[in-house]
Amino acid sequence: MNSSCNSVLNAKPVAVMGGIRVVARIRPQQNSELEKDCIVSATGPDGDTSSQPTVVRIPSFKNENEAFSFQFSSVYDQASTQQAIFDNEITPTIKHLFNGFDVTIFAYGVTGTGKTHTMRGGKSLAERGIIPRLLSSTYRRCRKIEKDSAAATSVGITLSYYEIYNDKVFDLLEAPEKRTMSGLHLRDNGGKTLVVGLTERPCESLKEFEKIYDEANVNRSTSATKLNAHSSRSHAILCFKVTMTTGDDVRVSTASAIDLAGSEDNRRTDNGKERLVESASINKSLFVLAKCVEAISQNHARIPYRESKMTRILSLGQNNGLTVMILNLAPSRSYHLDTISSLNFANRTKKIEIRELENEPITKGCSRAVPTSTGASMHRQPLRPLASTIHNTAMGSKASSKQEDKPAKMFSVYSDRPRNPPIVPRDTTKRSSPLKRPSEADPSAFNRPAKRRSPDRGHGGPSRAMSKEAIEDMIEKKVTDLLATRAMDHTSAAPVPEISEEVQRRLELLEKKIDDHDDEREQGLTFLLMAKQHAARGENKSALRMFLLARDYFPDNAKLASKIERLQRKLQDQRRTGPGSAEPDKRMTNEESRHPGEKMMDSDDKNTRARHDDRCANDDEYRAGLEGSSEDGYDSADSFRYRTKKAKGGKQAAANWIRGDQDTSCPDSPRTKQLLGIINSREVERIRLLQGVGKKRAEAMVEALCGGEEGDGSCQVVVSSLAQLGNVRGISFKTVEKMRSGLVVS
């Protein structure tokens, strides 16, 4: 048994140097692509189309008469099938997988070239990709090996599946809610990169694998871009270990199928914010991969594998196994530059040489040989450095006397270093200086006394035993001290006194009273708000009604009473003066007392006036009361405040000025009188000369003022203010201000 174990341990795997096998595949044209835009073709070595194509031809981007040729191991045109690619390129690697070699298959290309279709494929049998076909062939070979060996050899398959998203590793066999923000970490073990905490599931059959694989693909990060409706936003790595056990021998080999995300041009993909971050991470990892290939091809001393997690896992040139690269190409002219870049990368990749090294088998039950202590191969133990201190030299005499009592050693200790010469004790007596006064006693005459050894610490000293009563007393004392300490630290809270039913009832009544008072106050403030809004729009009658409703909630407010009195007095004055000088809202609502010529406001002018009236008020007394009081409310503490918004720009200022013209206490300016005289003349020729008014607008103004009659001046309606003029149909406050500012007073 030992001889067989030694032969297995001494057996060295044979390393065979080989290159990366590069296979190019041209995807079919899409429905949106034209036949004349197809620029990529597959031909034989000498242009022969009858044999298996191995050359990809593409015209130059600058000169279409010049063509580039790239030769690879195999080239598949647009008519190639999934079955043909698998039978010719992937099936030979299965034999090497069961012979102990690691296999790596990865798809490379820009976005939208069919990498995921090549690796994963579709649901139908003919459209299945490389990964399901590879697992199907592996399971068939496992059953064949077990059948041929009469169950002496057992084969097990373990599956792991993960993705690299934004340069972070996430396990696809776990739910997304279990992921951490930092992802899984990578570690190096024996020249291979391992993912710490990665889930490995055993798969007994192909049906079980398909179930796990479909569930894991749902967790993969995909999204739609302008070039691809199902674009992969991460690099996906599927690994399955094949473990063959024959008696005590165990051989483990690993197959990795990698679906790389494609490089993207954000100018063409029209990516948003989140897609830009993903695209930057994908392009960075592919750029690092190109740097690694360039460094390997030029025999650089440093290969930048660690600059990206994808290159660290892929490890081109360092993985000891078979590597197959499937280059996916798009035939359309819109991918011209991207296709040339991919072909150059694949051309450099095929020149990389790797060692196809067979994995060393592991043997169960074979213990490691223990070297003997004799012979030329004996390992010598180095001696520890001695501590040279004064104390050791002073105690030299005692140590020498004790060494005589120790037994002789049964083994020898050798050192590779030359032996140090024996340490000679130095004379530690201090010499007196002639310049210093001698001390009364020489300190060297007194030796340092040795430490007294405690009798309890000796091995042979009597042990001090404690009685049972002493132990119980000590425990009781410790417990008492601990309870006292806790009682001092955590003082018990004082008990809450119970509240009698009478007190509880009074508290509830008080709370109810406060709540009712708050509700009443809130209702009163609502009436005040509505009153001020009506007053700001010039609706004094509605404002008075709201103020009267609010007085029931604030009966002792003198300011509210003064405002009510002022509004009542103002309404009485308006009734006495008649409908001609009444406010605009009064004239517009009293349809019975209006002259037919005064009905000159349509719905658009009403909306315009309402928007302007929301910003300012036409009641000068009310506005003066708002601005003059620092506490514009009805209580000192919780007063209701209404702040008018300041006019912005000249338009709102003109509207506010025109509305302020309703105040009859202020005489009209000469310019205003001149404008009103021109308007009341009903002469189209004079009105059309005003600034901002043409012939058609002048005719419309005369027609509106005369209520549909001819503009001959027979209409008896007289415009007495600028505000009244601004309410005429077809005339805005801005137009009134423009007409007024354009007049020249003589």
Side-chain angles (χ1 to χ4, degrees), residues 648-689:
K648 298 181 180 179
K651 297 181 181 179
Q652 190 64 28
N656 294 342
W657 182 87
I658 293 172
R659 288 176 182 164
D661 189 62
Q662 294 186 51
D663 192 359
T664 57
S665 61
C666 298
D668 293 335
S669 63
R671 185 176 296 179
T672 302
K673 292 180 180 179
Q674 184 179 356
L675 176 60
L676 295 177
I678 296 173
I679 296 298
N680 290 326
S681 67
R682 308 294 194 273
E683 297 180 6
V684 177
E685 297 300 328
R686 294 185 62 188
I687 296 175
R688 64 176 294 188
L689 297 178

Side-chain angles (χ1 to χ4, degrees), residues 62-211:
K62 296 181 179 180
N63 185 10
E64 293 189 358
N65 296 326
E66 179 183 359
F68 296 142
S69 299
F70 297 89
Q71 187 171 3
F72 302 110
S73 301
S74 298
V75 178
Y76 294 88
D77 56 8
Q78 303 180 27
S80 61
T81 60
Q82 301 273 59
Q83 185 67 36
I85 296 175
F86 179 80
D87 292 341
N88 298 333
E89 308 300 334
I90 309 301
T91 301
T93 62
I94 300 176
K95 178 182 64 176
H96 295 279
L97 179 66
F98 282 89
N99 289 337
F101 291 91
D102 291 341
V103 176
T104 302
I105 304 168
F106 69 97
Y108 181 88
V110 299
T111 182
T113 54
K115 299 180 298 299
T116 304
H117 177 75
T118 301
M119 299 300 293
R120 188 195 304 179
K123 291 295 183 181
S124 63
L125 186 63
E127 294 297 326
R128 287 195 307 169
I130 290 176
I131 293 177
R133 293 177 187 272
L134 177 62
L135 266 297
S136 178
S137 300
T138 303
Y139 280 113
R140 286 199 302 269
R141 193 171 185 87
C142 290
R143 290 194 296 268
K144 184 177 182 301
I145 291 175
E146 291 177 352
K147 183 178 179 180
D148 294 344
S149 63
T153 301
S154 61
V155 184
I157 296 177
T158 306
L159 181 69
S160 61
Y161 195 22
Y162 58 97
E163 69 173 354
I164 305 176
Y165 176 71
N166 288 344
D167 207 32
K168 296 178 183 178
V169 181
F170 297 106
D171 193 351
L172 292 177
L173 298 182
E174 289 187 351
E177 55 268 14
K178 295 183 180 180
R179 295 181 178 180
T180 59
M181 295 297 295
S182 59
L184 303 178
H185 300 281
L186 303 181
R187 296 290 183 270
D188 293 333
N189 184 16
K192 295 183 179 180
T193 303
L194 303 179
V195 181
V196 180
L198 186 63
T199 303
E200 293 185 352
R201 291 188 185 179
C203 293
E204 301 296 336
S205 62
L206 180 63
K207 186 176 181 180
E208 184 180 357
F209 161 75
E210 291 177 350
K211 180 182 178 182

Side-chain angles (χ1 to χ4, degrees), residues 11 38 105 123 170 208-209 339 382 393 410 460 534 575 627 662 719 723 725:
C38 181
I105 304 168
K123 291 295 183 181
F170 297 106
E208 184 180 357
F209 161 75
T339 303
T393 57
M410 300 303 294
H534 285 302
R575 293 192 191 98
E627 297 174 354
Q662 294 186 51
V719 180
L725 178 61

